[in-house]
Amino acid sequence: MTAKRHKRIASSRRRHLRNAALGHPATASGFIVLIAAFFTMWIVILRCFGEDDPYHWVLKHLETGNYAIGQIEAFRQHNDGKLPEGLDAVGFKNGGIENQYYIQLPSEGFAYDLEYIKLDDTSYVLAFDGDIWGRGQYVSTVGHWNAYSTEYNSLTNDYTIDNTEGEGAAKVYLNEFEIAGWYDGLEAQLSALIADRKGRREQYVLHIIERDSAERIAYARAQTGCDDSVCRSYFNCLLTTFDPAQQPEHDYFRDFLGYLMLDGKVCFIVDNSTFHQSSIVCRARKGRLFDVDSKSASSARKRCWFIDIDRHYEGSMMLKGTWPAK
């Protein structure tokens, strides 16, 4: 599976992220405003610079999320344990997208968007997603945040995970994705690859990668261990079996974008491409809670399909080979 790219961080930064995730209040420093207009201008400027930083962006979302959790729990206490259907019931503005709300701390002049998903009458998920900047998720039955922020790596021209909090969460909520638009025929083609494996208790992973990337072959070797002509052929997707019992270190929250349903089987999505605007998957309206500790799916041995998908025109798919070869 995808190799973890987590980096250990300085204790001070990790402590700040942990305090935000656990709901510890930040200490506000006071100052005397000599020239109100002048200082207001600089506060806005410094704030803009500070928020152009994944770490502070995630930190603010955690603080805002804790404030929202307080309002949700207060609502629950005053309504016989029932949760609000939406956060507009506790005074937050709907963002125009299903389940998305703009939430503003009392001491802030800026609102942050978070997603509220009511799972049932007593449990919910609060989440935010900054794409390459970081993500955060709070599952009420777990009781703490799972979050990370990123750092730009100028050598690889990529964002790598820099700050983490809440590792080892027992449950993770993932959004369901679907293949639509130009690529609406691909789901049947992908399903056909695993159709002959009926009866096997398996889950799968669709790895979306770059066709011309210098790291493409190395990535395939890491997933399969093979180094034959198929591994060195052109491809931009790998479909592999996934066995949580054999990969207990795999991180659902940080490594999986979401999941597809192929031939009735769960297929997780790892998107390592940089062309997200031309991704073959788009988010559906559904999602589900996964038990990270569950060993319900198992695979007799790993299988991999090397796939080349035309992501720009017709969405056609070519199977370049399999590993191990049939």
Side-chain angles (χ1 to χ4, degrees), residues 164-211:
T164 62
E165 181 57 47
E167 295 173 277
K171 295 182 183 298
V172 170
Y173 183 87
L174 293 179
N175 296 308
E176 184 171 331
F177 283 70
E178 59 188 4
I179 301 176
W182 290 347
Y183 313 109
D184 57 0
L186 293 179
E187 184 173 344
Q189 297 178 66
L190 290 170
S191 295
L193 296 179
I194 61 177
D196 60 347
R197 301 175 69 81
K198 292 282 188 182
R200 297 176 183 267
R201 298 171 61 240
E202 291 178 341
Q203 292 175 338
Y204 297 82
V205 182
L206 180 65
H207 307 257
I208 304 173
I209 56 181
E210 298 299 346
R211 174 172 179 164

Side-chain angles (χ1 to χ4, degrees), residues 32-308:
I32 300 175
V33 179
L34 300 178
I35 305 176
F38 176 82
F39 276 98
T40 300
M41 178 186 69
W42 277 104
I43 289 171
V44 171
I45 292 174
L46 291 174
R47 181 184 181 86
C48 291
F49 275 107
E51 293 199 356
D52 191 22
D53 173 357
Y55 169 72
H56 289 95
W57 182 88
V58 169
L59 188 66
K60 283 297 183 181
H61 273 79
L62 290 174
E63 293 173 351
T64 305
N66 285 325
Y67 172 66
I69 291 168
Q71 301 303 306
I72 295 170
E73 295 302 326
F75 180 96
R76 192 206 300 257
Q77 291 178 7
H78 290 88
N79 289 274
D80 300 322
K82 294 183 179 180
L83 292 168
E85 294 297 325
L87 295 189
D88 47 352
V90 293
F92 300 130
K93 183 180 179 181
N94 186 278
I97 302 176
E98 186 180 21
N99 300 327
Q100 185 186 64
Y101 296 88
Y102 291 118
I103 302 171
Q104 183 174 327
L105 290 167
S107 60
E108 295 281 346
F110 187 82
Y112 295 85
D113 62 298
L114 287 98
E115 187 172 11
Y116 169 76
I117 302 165
K118 180 181 176 182
L119 300 175
D120 51 46
D121 287 341
T122 60
S123 61
Y124 63 92
V125 173
L126 200 64
F128 60 89
D129 190 345
D131 192 12
I132 60 175
W133 277 33
R135 298 169 67 187
Q137 182 179 106
Y138 177 90
V139 180
S140 62
T141 53
V142 175
H144 62 79
W145 284 94
N146 193 355
Y148 69 82
S149 64
T150 62
E151 182 180 57
Y152 181 69
N153 188 327
S154 59
L155 296 178
T156 62
N157 193 31
D158 194 12
Y159 285 82
T160 56
I161 293 175
D162 182 37
N163 298 271
T164 62
E165 181 57 47
E167 295 173 277
K171 295 182 183 298
V172 170
Y173 183 87
L174 293 179
N175 296 308
E176 184 171 331
F177 283 70
E178 59 188 4
I179 301 176
W182 290 347
Y183 313 109
D184 57 0
L186 293 179
E187 184 173 344
Q189 297 178 66
L190 290 170
S191 295
L193 296 179
I194 61 177
D196 60 347
R197 301 175 69 81
K198 292 282 188 182
R200 297 176 183 267
R201 298 171 61 240
E202 291 178 341
Q203 292 175 338
Y204 297 82
V205 182
L206 180 65
H207 307 257
I208 304 173
I209 56 181
E210 298 299 346
R211 174 172 179 164
D212 298 321
S213 170
E215 299 179 356
R216 172 177 52 84
I217 297 175
Y219 185 87
R221 287 170 178 162
Q223 303 306 313
T224 65
C226 75
D227 187 20
D228 53 22
S229 59
V230 175
C231 180
R232 292 189 293 272
S233 65
Y234 284 114
F235 54 87
N236 56 19
C237 288
L238 297 175
L239 178 65
T240 68
T241 55
F242 169 61
D243 181 4
Q246 296 178 11
Q247 308 250 1
E249 77 286 352
H250 196 82
D251 195 314
Y252 287 56
F253 178 71
R254 292 171 179 83
D255 291 339
F256 291 150
L257 172 68
Y259 69 96
L260 289 164
M261 294 302 299
L262 297 178
D263 196 42
K265 302 286 185 68
V266 171
C267 179
F268 297 109
I269 304 167
V270 174
D271 191 349
N272 286 3
S273 70
T274 57
F275 299 102
H276 299 292
Q277 69 274 15
S278 61
S279 178
I280 66 173
V281 297
C282 60
R283 181 174 167 180
R285 297 170 62 92
K286 298 177 290 184
R288 58 181 277 191
L289 198 65
F290 285 87
D291 186 348
V292 177
D293 296 328
S294 173
K295 310 299 181 186
S296 59
S298 61
S299 175
R301 64 174 181 168
K302 189 160 189 175
R303 293 286 300 179
C304 177
W305 295 262
F306 293 79
I307 303 169
D308 187 32

